[in-house]
Amino acid sequence: MITFQQEILNLVKCFRRQWHLFSNSERTTVCGADCMLMALQLSMAEVNKQLHGDFTVSLSDVLETWNYLLHEKLGLSYENMKETENYADVKKAYDAFLARSNMLDLIDIYQKCCSLGLLPEDESIAPVQLLEFISGITNVQENTGSVLSTPSTHVNRQGQEHMKASMLAKKSVCSYLSLLVNSKDDLALAHVLNVPDRGLDREAFTDLKHVSQKRKMSIFLMATSFIRTIELGGRDCASSLYDPLRAHVKGLSNFINFSDKLQEIVGETLNPRIAGGRILSTVKMHLIKGRSNGDPFCQAVEEVVQDLDLKIKNIIDSQQEILTASTTGVSPTR
């Protein structure tokens, strides 16, 4: 019997195969639960900044709005919920953020697949199931027994540290890959702008974000434009618009140069198996540079890269097998 997580994975695969029915760009990426929540938080902060001059937002307000947003988007009953303050503005900002980032959230993909009848009948997903999955309830229920019955020990603490390092490693590697596919993905950029440490703290990200908004550009494109201008020494180099970014030249230059290196691999390596391996290897070396071999993060990065490398090769092999099977016995001229 197919698991619910497999059904979600098939949902995303359906989007990948039929991307032209969902978006104008094949580089559109999927915004999962974590990214949806982060996008909402940034949208709420932006609205709060516009209305009250304060960019901060409380966690309780974010979670309350998050719950309301999920119920509304999924068409589930929210009669007993009170619409959160400035919800219409927040929802508009959230949708605009995803559009600017060339992303679709999991609910949008689910609803589009359902409306087009792209999912098999035996893999139908109920809105409440998707709500539980995005909210994390499904995973909690699956793990409740083991979590509650396991005492806190040194081994468990080590396991928690390994899990934390593994999550950070996976997020870092996948964010670099996501940026390679979709340079407008501001959430991915936020994850790796200062990973590894480039001296680009929250202030640097905020400065970059504000300048990109003034130029109506993605954050990555803004950073690239700034560094290219500095390198070429053009007329725009003296622009006052760039003033907030001048303090971050070194870190931004490091980030853009590394991104260029990944793009070069894509452009120079025609074999996708080799290209995928080289990209992952380059990202791995970049992330673990300067760290000791026994560092939990280094070990986690190694595991994540090995796993992704195998998955990429399996996908490529599977696609080639399908292509070979579909063309067997058929003349190339046909």
Side-chain angles (χ1 to χ4, degrees), residues 317-332 334:
D317 289 343
S318 176
Q319 290 177 336
Q320 289 178 341
E321 288 175 3
I322 293 173
L323 181 62
T324 301
S326 64
T327 57
T328 300
V330 179
S331 170
R334 294 174 60 189

Side-chain angles (χ1 to χ4, degrees), residues 222-279:
M222 185 67 250
T224 303
S225 175
F226 171 62
I227 294 303
R228 295 286 184 265
T229 302
I230 293 294
E231 291 174 345
L232 297 174
R235 288 183 301 173
D236 288 342
C237 188
S239 172
S240 60
L241 179 66
Y242 286 139
D243 287 348
L245 303 183
R246 296 186 188 281
H248 315 301
V249 171
K250 183 177 180 180
L252 289 175
S253 179
N254 177 282
F255 176 72
I256 295 302
N257 289 337
F258 178 68
S259 299
D260 288 343
K261 184 183 295 186
L262 297 181
Q263 289 287 356
E264 287 174 4
I265 294 174
V266 174
E268 295 174 355
T269 314
L270 299 180
N271 187 313
R273 286 174 62 93
I274 298 176
R278 286 187 59 192
I279 289 170

Side-chain angles (χ1 to χ4, degrees), residues 35-144:
C35 290
M36 288 172 66
L37 183 57
M38 182 178 290
L40 178 64
Q41 184 176 3
L42 290 173
S43 300
M44 291 179 67
E46 192 64 41
V47 170
N48 207 40
K49 175 72 173 178
Q50 294 172 359
L51 298 179
H52 308 294
D54 186 5
F55 198 70
T56 60
V57 59
S58 70
L59 178 60
S60 60
D61 287 344
V62 172
L63 295 178
E64 185 179 358
T65 305
W66 170 244
N67 194 30
Y68 190 90
L69 173 74
L70 295 182
H71 279 77
E72 188 212 29
K73 290 199 68 166
L74 286 166
L76 296 172
S77 174
Y78 50 93
E79 295 177 356
N80 297 327
M81 296 182 187
K82 181 181 178 181
E83 182 175 309
T84 54
E85 185 180 4
N86 304 314
Y87 177 75
D89 293 331
V90 169
K91 179 64 165 52
K92 183 178 179 180
Y94 173 83
D95 291 337
F97 181 90
L98 292 187
R100 285 196 309 271
S101 300
N102 195 24
M103 301 177 77
L104 290 172
D105 70 26
L106 204 53
I107 297 178
D108 292 331
I109 292 173
Y110 161 74
Q111 291 175 334
K112 188 72 172 180
C113 283
C114 290
S115 65
L116 295 175
L118 299 177
L119 297 176
E121 291 185 6
D122 59 344
E123 292 185 22
S124 60
I125 300 173
V128 68
Q129 287 180 299
L130 188 57
L131 172 67
E132 292 177 350
F133 176 81
I134 294 175
S135 302
I137 296 175
T138 302
N139 293 333
V140 170
Q141 289 176 341
E142 290 176 354
N143 297 318
T144 295

